[in-house]
Amino acid sequence: MDFSKYKKSTASVWAGETDPLPNGAVTTPIVKSVAFAYHDLDEWHNVATGKAEGYIYSRNTNPTVHVLEEKIRILEGAEAATSFATGMGAISNTLFALLGPGKRVVSIKDTYGGASRLFLDFLPRYQVNVTLCGTTDFDEIEAEVAKGCDVLYLETPTNPTLKVVDIARLAAAAKKVGAVTVVDNTFATPINQNPLALGADLVVHSATKFLGGHSDAMGGVLCGTKELVEKVFQFREINGASLQADAAYMIARGMKTLELRIERQNASALTIARYLKAHPKVSDVFYPGLETHPGHDVAKKQMSGFGGIMSFSLVGSYDNVKKFLPKLQFVHLAASLGSVSTLAGPPRTTSHVELTEEQRKLLGIPESLIRYSVGIENVSDLLTDLESALATL
Ligand SMILES: *Cc1c(COP(=O)(O)O)cnc(C)c1O
């Protein structure tokens, strides 16, 4: 069944699960089998050589994993999708499959910490030429791309200051020089933003975050053109960063409520960002949905909702953060984001813990910054919670 003509909420529930399921089951089974047996040797050979559809060995593909891949493929409007053990599995496999000695990648300074490590430490070991540009300096990015590159790697909105990168403009620049544009769409989710429709060739997600949405399973996905996804899949199949059926089931289950959760999180985040912006104990709020955010116009152009994540800084020093955060009741002070429960933490201890104070300053990350990932709790309870904790400062 072709789900691309249906709305995202319908596809989230049904995509990948329409075949008659065993025993009349109404939800997809977790197929734990490592290998898949054949009576007919010719059929086995055809599947093994890719001439017929089917399953051979779960490092390559698995029926439960395939259900998840189908859901994300439809939601991103892609030709093909594949999956990985984690979001970093998706990112590293993509970059290593597309790049090699003498190749060049252009990216931005504000990528997710793990991606940033690949650019700074690991890819250069394989003689990959890496150029990291100012995240919102689109002229600089265009100029670097125009010099010639193989991959343009973007992420938007970024972590932790929610900078917005103009996907359509930069993907067009990449197309001119024949470069592949890859976008990490983890923060926005396919409900709020579809990079492929804006001209990107590949989209990566940490499925650990909003897609799964319950902080109980790790995974990564990649989708885009058949040719490029196939290329990365062939590398992943061999290096073995495959997604397990149990995790795929949990993420696919989470995805059934993706639109419901994202709609709630979009609305609550905007309400909370506006509240914090007006609060005297808060010195700055970074949320692309605020008219005062420098990336608001681009965000309005390329996003249908502004997402569930914001960051804000408190007046005073880091001591105020230490005082404030433990006072919050409906917040897990933890790394990660995109869950049904609200999660918060300072980049100083979470995403940017490896950097020095000086390096964080260069990236425009105030020491008293707090990343706040809004859950699906009732927004008035979250506001009351913030209000009482801020009152103690
Ligand atoms: C968490 C995250 C990743 C990495 O995903 P894992 O599942 O933790 O490997 C990549 N990109 C972004 C934007 C993230 O938030």
Side-chain angles (χ1 to χ4, degrees):
M1 220 170 146
D2 178 16
F3 277 97
S4 54
K5 57 178 188 276
Y6 297 103
K7 299 280 190 246
K8 288 174 180 171
S9 50
T10 308
S12 295
V13 176
W14 287 97
E17 302 195 47
T18 49
D19 288 336
L21 297 173
N23 308 313
V26 295
T27 189
T28 199
I30 303 175
V31 179
K32 290 187 178 255
S33 188
V34 158
F36 300 87
Y38 290 85
H39 290 297
D40 181 325
L41 290 189
D42 290 334
E43 189 193 346
W44 186 3
H45 186 261
N46 283 340
V47 174
T49 51
K51 289 192 199 88
E53 296 256 316
Y55 301 96
I56 296 286
Y57 190 57
S58 283
R59 170 154 43 76
N60 313 343
T61 49
N62 164 288
T64 312
V65 170
H66 182 69
V67 168
L68 168 67
E69 294 169 344
E70 268 303 285
K71 289 189 194 297
I72 193 72
R73 183 181 77 76
I74 297 291
L75 292 192
E76 287 288 15
E79 238 171 61
T82 190
S83 59
F84 306 83
T86 63
M88 276 316 300
I91 294 169
S92 58
N93 275 271
T94 301
L95 291 172
F96 277 99
L98 299 180
L99 294 163
K103 302 266 187 194
R104 178 165 188 252
V105 56
V106 173
S107 188
I108 52 176
K109 292 201 172 109
D110 285 58
T111 49
Y112 176 75
S116 175
R117 285 289 303 279
L118 289 176
F119 291 134
L120 297 172
D121 294 349
F122 294 103
L123 288 164
R125 293 186 201 175
Y126 298 88
Q127 284 79 50
V128 174
N129 182 339
V130 177
T131 305
L132 302 182
C133 303
T135 301
T136 54
D137 191 342
F138 306 146
D139 291 337
E140 184 195 359
I141 302 171
E142 267 181 352
E144 287 299 336
V145 167
K147 288 180 194 166
C149 69
D150 301 283
V151 173
L152 170 65
Y153 183 90
L154 304 173
E155 182 180 326
T156 181
T158 63
N159 193 12
T161 51
L162 287 296
K163 289 180 188 146
V164 177
V165 179
D166 191 333
I167 299 172
R169 174 174 166 182
L170 300 174
K175 199 147 282 168
K176 273 191 211 147
V177 296
V180 172
T181 302
V182 184
V183 178
D184 182 336
N185 203 27
T186 301
F187 268 40
T189 81
I191 302 300
N192 287 331
Q193 176 172 279
N194 288 124
L196 300 177
L198 297 164
D201 304 290
L202 289 171
V203 172
V204 288
H205 279 279
S206 167
T208 312
K209 313 291 172 55
F210 288 101
L211 298 184
H214 293 71
S215 294
D216 56 6
M218 300 200 81
V221 287
L222 170 77
C223 49
T225 63
K226 201 163 190 283
E227 185 198 340
L228 291 170
V229 170
E230 187 75 13
K231 194 167 172 177
V232 181
F233 166 75
Q234 279 161 6
F235 184 58
R236 190 270 283 153
E237 185 177 32
I238 298 311
N239 81 26
S242 313
L243 184 64
Q244 294 283 314
D246 300 74
Y249 176 84
M250 296 303 279
I251 296 164
R253 184 188 206 269
M255 279 187 72
K256 293 178 189 184
T257 55
L258 183 65
E259 192 188 61
L260 289 173
R261 288 185 282 111
I262 298 301
E263 278 176 355
R264 165 65 70 93
Q265 286 163 313
N266 283 343
S268 298
L270 188 58
T271 306
I272 292 169
R274 287 191 175 136
Y275 161 80
L276 290 171
K277 184 83 189 164
H279 201 286
K281 297 281 169 58
V282 175
S283 55
D284 218 340
V285 182
F286 303 90
Y287 184 65
L290 293 177
E291 290 75 10
T292 48
H293 187 281
H296 181 65
D297 287 340
V298 177
K300 252 194 345 205
K301 203 174 63 172
Q302 68 188 19
M303 303 178 82
S304 55
F306 301 110
I309 304 159
M310 74 188 70
S311 58
F312 57 95
S313 49
L314 299 176
V315 294
S317 68
Y318 184 65
D319 281 347
N320 266 347
V321 175
K322 280 206 284 201
K323 220 165 114 185
F324 167 79
L325 280 179
K327 299 242 162 58
L328 292 170
Q329 200 183 342
F330 297 119
V331 164
H332 291 297
L333 300 184
S336 201
L337 51 96
S339 184
V340 287
S341 49
T342 298
L343 296 160
R348 190 182 188 273
T349 1
T350 57
S351 55
H352 293 72
V353 64
E354 281 124 21
L355 305 189
T356 62
E357 188 166 338
E358 198 51 38
Q359 287 171 319
R360 282 192 290 271
K361 203 167 169 183
L362 278 175
L363 280 172
I365 302 170
E367 288 301 287
S368 67
L369 192 72
I370 293 166
R371 189 181 66 201
Y372 191 84
S373 169
V374 184
I376 60 165
E377 302 91 341
N378 187 291
V379 70
S380 53
D381 287 332
L382 295 178
L383 288 169
T384 309
D385 198 20
L386 288 161
E387 179 76 33
S388 21
L390 285 167
T392 66
L393 298 182

